[in-house]
Amino acid sequence: MYTLWIANKNYSSWSLRPWILLKALDIPFNEQLSYFENGKSSHEKFKAFSPTGRVPCLIDGEITVWDSLAIAEYIAEDHAQVWPLDKTAKAWARSAAAEMHSSFATLRQVCAMNCSIRIELDEITPELQRDIDRIDALWTEGLTKFGGKWLAGDKFTAVDAFYAPVAFRAQTYGLKLSVISQGWIDRMLKLPAMMEWVEASVKEPKVTH
Ligand SMILES: N[C@@H](CCC(=O)N[C@@H](CS)C(=O)NCC(=O)O)C(=O)O
């Protein structure tokens, strides 16, 4: 069985991606949670199980897979439902997940994931608005083009998992998106696995990192 190393559910957006993917697809795994160090880097602590000193990190017997995107692709080798089966939807989903993985620096920095609180932003800078607008356009495209309740069709796939932290960010910071995108956020926030993540996150020790 897979072992997935993650950090605090309240803060670790990268941990959420493979965790929600495995949960939503009902793929069994052992969760190993290692809390962030308070006020200092967690690199040394995480080096005990992760070659980069970062989470998430997946262990499958002798095999170690680090980095959320590589983990999703590794799981997909044995579980085809990780990506849409349709070739067009799969190409779109992979591109959108890769875009999340490599972009949206302003959103990530200004709206850091913090599931348990609500924050009113003083201003939405043009850079932040650009990230929000791109995500809104991307979600709208997926939801209309593939016509399902999830981003790339009628089944939850890795592209939904990759944007899961944005659903929490939208809730925490009250971000305004189109009605169609807000519909996806509402469905995500009601997923039993997302609710389980939040429930655990509020019980965790708070840290500054
Ligand atoms: N590109 C990596 C990013 C992983 C990452 O930055 N993880 C953060 C936590 S969300 C981390 O481990 N930080 C270690 C630290 O803060 O010392 C991935 O996709 O997995």
Side-chain angles (χ1 to χ4, degrees):
M1 199 189 309
Y2 301 131
T3 294
L4 181 68
W5 283 90
I6 60 170
N8 306 45
K9 290 182 172 136
N10 195 44
Y11 310 108
S12 186
S13 61
W14 293 110
S15 297
L16 170 60
R17 294 175 171 101
W19 187 95
I20 198 77
L21 179 66
L22 289 166
K23 282 273 174 178
L25 298 186
D26 254 331
I27 300 170
F29 68 104
N30 291 318
E31 173 187 312
Q32 286 284 350
L33 199 157
S34 182
Y35 287 132
F36 286 116
E37 298 275 29
N38 199 358
K40 61 174 185 172
S41 167
S42 307
H43 184 81
E44 284 312 311
K45 185 178 180 191
F46 293 172
K47 278 283 270 186
F49 56 82
S50 168
T52 53
R54 288 173 180 259
V55 288
C57 185
L58 184 94
I59 314 286
D60 183 22
E62 299 292 301
I63 300 173
T64 298
V65 189
W66 62 96
D67 198 290
S68 53
L69 197 49
I71 293 170
E73 292 296 3
Y74 180 78
I75 298 167
E77 286 186 32
D78 287 322
H79 303 275
Q81 70 273 32
V82 163
W83 297 110
L85 299 180
D86 171 74
K87 192 175 176 183
T88 306
K90 187 175 185 174
W92 185 89
R94 277 193 155 133
S95 302
E99 184 174 346
M100 177 73 248
H101 196 257
S102 61
S103 313
F104 308 118
T106 305
L107 177 75
R108 288 216 281 260
Q109 196 193 335
V110 178
C111 303
M113 197 173 93
N114 192 330
C115 302
S116 60
I117 58 172
R118 300 293 175 264
I119 297 168
E120 209 173 307
L121 291 171
D122 291 337
E123 63 162 341
I124 306 269
T125 62
E127 292 78 16
L128 179 57
Q129 192 59 53
R130 201 176 309 138
D131 279 358
I132 296 169
D133 288 347
R134 172 61 190 147
I135 288 174
D136 206 352
L138 191 66
W139 291 356
T140 302
E141 183 189 1
L143 291 163
T144 48
K145 188 170 174 165
F146 304 110
K149 58 180 185 161
W150 301 112
L151 291 177
D154 57 1
K155 297 214 166 64
F156 183 103
T157 63
V159 68
D160 299 289
F162 269 77
Y163 285 90
V166 183
F168 284 141
R169 288 176 160 122
Q171 176 174 252
T172 297
Y173 297 90
L175 305 180
K176 302 270 179 294
L177 285 99
S178 62
V179 172
I180 185 165
S181 292
Q182 187 59 46
W184 178 84
I185 291 172
D186 295 343
R187 285 190 288 284
M188 282 298 288
L189 294 175
K190 281 193 202 121
L191 259 191
M194 289 286 273
M195 287 158 71
E196 184 186 330
W197 179 274
V198 176
E199 212 173 293
S201 80
V202 295
K203 295 180 192 141
E204 292 174 344
K206 301 285 172 272
V207 295
T208 51
H209 62 284

